[in-house]
Amino acid sequence: MSNLYTAEATATGGRTGSVKTSDDRLDLNLSRPSEMGGDGGPGTNPEQLFAAGYAACFQGALGVVARREKIELPDDSTVTARVGLQKSGLAFALDVELEGRFPGLSREQAHALMHAAHQVCPYSVATRDNVAVRLKVAE
């Protein structure tokens, strides 16, 4: 199997440094959240970046699944990813909740789409059996 696309990013200084992609499209300062003993500065953090990537990727997977199932995904549908960082013994672990909002679709259709997208989304495939991921449909 060959890559369809490869992203490259380099971090300097860990959680209080910076991260930049090789094409310069992303160039961000990082700050440690105050909840983690940091200064809560203006920079982003790895969990926010992971949440943003997972939400966007999962939204794309929903579009793929909806097209396959011949379901019209509402233009104003959204996916919100909540990524928690947990202490797990001497290591750390992630906890993820994906919440989909699908105006105009039934709860049954929305749940079916979420579960089908979870089978094809590259982030879901990568985290399967390694990260607790909860799927939720917004009220």
Side-chain angles (χ1 to χ4, degrees):
M1 191 171 4
S2 63
N3 290 338
L4 298 174
Y5 169 75
T6 299
E8 180 180 324
T10 301
T12 304
R15 287 185 168 272
T16 56
S18 62
V19 64
K20 183 177 182 179
T21 57
S22 59
D23 63 6
D24 294 326
R25 291 183 182 198
L26 184 74
D27 187 355
L28 300 170
N29 290 320
L30 302 171
S31 296
R32 187 182 311 268
S34 55
E35 297 88 344
M36 293 176 57
D39 66 2
T44 189
N45 61 66
E47 292 72 34
Q48 287 177 330
L49 294 169
F50 190 82
Y54 205 159
C57 191
F58 200 83
Q59 181 83 38
L62 283 163
V64 168
V65 169
R67 283 189 296 281
R68 285 182 188 165
E69 299 294 322
K70 300 192 184 340
I71 296 171
E72 189 169 332
L73 194 61
D75 289 339
D76 57 349
S77 67
T78 62
V79 172
T80 300
R82 295 178 185 89
V83 175
L85 181 65
Q86 302 175 335
K87 184 86 164 120
S88 178
L90 296 177
F92 295 91
L94 296 176
D95 173 73
V96 176
E97 179 180 85
L98 298 172
E99 181 177 18
R101 189 173 85 58
F102 310 96
L105 292 186
S106 71
R107 289 192 66 70
E108 293 76 23
Q109 278 184 312
H111 277 288
L113 281 174
M114 291 284 288
H115 286 277
H118 194 47
Q119 298 307 307
V120 300
C121 172
Y123 277 63
S124 293
V125 171
T127 60
R128 188 162 292 125
D129 299 325
N130 294 308
V131 175
V133 178
R134 292 175 309 287
L135 304 177
K136 179 180 176 184
V137 173
E139 296 296 323

